[in-house]
Amino acid sequence: MGYYPNTIKIIRDILNKQYPDKKAKKGIDSLPSHLLWMLDKIEEMENSPGKAGRWIGYVLRATEEMGFLTNQESIDIVKKDVLEDYE
């Protein structure tokens, strides 16, 4: 079982729609690409719920700052994963 699969899919879809040419790439200076990279890494995490939670929080905050989500939307997205025991 992975962490935050619903949240990852929604955020990845948003970023891919807004930045169709961006590919996942590590590097904080390339934020859309870095966020996609972080989503890939969260999917690979095992036995690291705290780390996954911190990383998804960072991705959500960045997505909010970019104007693609409100904080309430982020809460609602994560709530679905928590209710399905994907936290």
Side-chain angles (χ1 to χ4, degrees):
M1 178 191 326
Y3 301 109
Y4 305 100
N6 300 308
T7 304
I8 288 171
K9 181 185 180 331
I10 290 168
I11 300 303
R12 185 176 281 133
D13 289 349
I14 289 169
L15 293 174
N16 285 332
K17 181 179 179 187
Q18 296 297 322
Y19 304 98
D21 297 330
K22 295 291 182 180
K23 302 293 182 216
K25 181 178 131 189
K26 183 178 181 180
I28 197 69
D29 293 333
S30 178
L31 199 51
S33 295
H34 187 67
L35 297 177
L36 291 167
W37 174 83
M38 289 181 75
L39 294 173
D40 289 347
K41 294 302 176 186
I42 295 168
E43 287 180 317
E44 297 171 6
M45 290 180 188
E46 294 181 20
N47 301 314
S48 298
K51 184 176 182 179
R54 288 188 302 275
W55 281 43
I56 203 69
Y58 179 89
V59 171
L60 286 165
R61 181 211 44 88
T63 306
E64 290 172 18
E65 284 187 4
M66 296 165 97
F68 302 132
L69 287 175
T70 65
N71 185 255
Q72 187 59 54
E73 289 170 325
S74 292
I75 291 168
D76 293 340
I77 292 167
V78 171
K79 198 177 289 186
K80 180 175 173 31
D81 282 318
V82 171
L83 290 173
E84 294 177 6
D85 287 330
Y86 286 118
E87 62 173 328

